Amino acid sequence: MKFMQAIHIKLGKAVIMENREIINAYIDKWIEDYNSRQRAVWNYEDGCVMLGAQYLYEATGDEKYINCIRTFMDRYIQEDGTIRYYVPEDYNLDKVNNGRVLYFLYDKTGEEKYKTALDHIRGQLETHPRTDCGSFWHKQIYPYQIWLDGLYMGQPLYLEYEKRFNGGERYNDITGQFLNARKYLFDEEKKLYYHAYDEKRQMIWADKTTGCSHNFWLRSIGWYLMALIDCCGLIPEESFEHLSTYKRLFKEALAGIMQYQDEKTKLFYQLVDMPELEGNYLETSGSAMIAYAILKGCRLGILQEEKWRRRGEEIFDGLEREKLQKDENGWHLTGICLVAGLGPKDERDGSVEYYLSEPVVSDEEKGVGVFMMAYGEYLKLEKQDEA
């Protein structure tokens, strides 16, 4: 695939910027198709799409992105603030992430139904079951388990609610759950985080000594990086100790994953530390998450732009070159792992074979949503250059 290239100069270094007309056309068509269908589910995947649309609106001011958000959300948020297909008593952190865009809608419209819907979601966290060490169970059907995915699904919404409506009363709780992940899920030798931790060490996938799953799954590490950088952007600067903790954890996790970047494509493998393994592949959604985290880290001043901006742009450009592909039906974002989990019983054992057995698909919601999020940060940095 060949793209026209433009060169711009940032901090004295040339950065290759691929022609974005293809990206814009792909996203426009994808959103059009997305708005034409409905799913009878309240799900984190759609939450990624909604945040992608929000970030692109913030970068461009284009009303089509707000229209996308309202078209979707108003199918679910009733006038009394109740949410169709959302059952708080399921105690599922995946159901929390979809609410994050409600802050944006509430600010833009002032409509109380969006605030009331947020209250309902925040209410789930008040009674959500916890591990003995104090972290949310990932889901009620996954008892005593901490998943990296769950930190992204729950903590940013929780933190923003505390900041806006509760005076930061629960900041210690939020930070403590990140510190639990560092304590129980981080591998000191490889500098990577395992996908999940079973406090009771009962699951088929859990190491009987450490409680951790046995492999380093790219997207789970991507969720964790995004959770940390989003919390860096949300926590007030005067809450210095919390902000300092998020920065420290973020930089450590980022340095760890960057050791395993593919030099040629700048992307990352589904099983992060096994590039030579037969059947392993460069995965799109997790690579986009790392691009997003780096670019947002630069924009927030968490990362040194001179050192990191080009690295984030190279990952995003690698996605454009390697994963945005054209066939007779148009452009497609390829190479997305459809899903990967653990359990809840004896299935999904966390083995190498399991992670490589899940379908690899194109144009799937969470993959495209995070691609949009990364593109939004790409454009926000450009906008910041022009200010």
Side-chain angles (χ1 to χ4, degrees), residues 6-37:
I7 301 294
H8 81 98
I9 303 299
K10 174 63 184 174
L11 300 172
K13 296 181 180 180
V15 179
I16 297 176
M17 306 286 287
E18 303 288 5
N19 186 341
R20 65 205 59 198
E21 292 179 5
I22 294 168
I23 298 174
N24 291 336
Y26 171 74
I27 291 174
D28 285 351
K29 179 63 167 61
W30 193 90
I31 285 177
E32 180 183 342
D33 293 342
Y34 178 79
N35 280 339
S36 69
R37 65 184 189 271

Side-chain angles (χ1 to χ4, degrees), residues 182-183 185-192 194 252:
R182 173 61 174 80
K183 180 177 181 179
L185 288 158
F186 188 68
D187 185 284
E188 294 285 356
E189 179 182 353
K190 294 199 170 182
K191 306 302 181 186
L192 294 171
Y194 291 102
E252 178 184 61

Side-chain angles (χ1 to χ4, degrees), residues 90-91 124-125 127-131 135-140:
D90 286 346
Y91 292 118
Q124 172 189 324
L125 300 181
T127 55
H128 197 100
R130 293 175 182 252
T131 61
S135 292
F136 294 136
W137 293 5
H138 185 57
K139 300 180 184 180
Q140 186 161 247

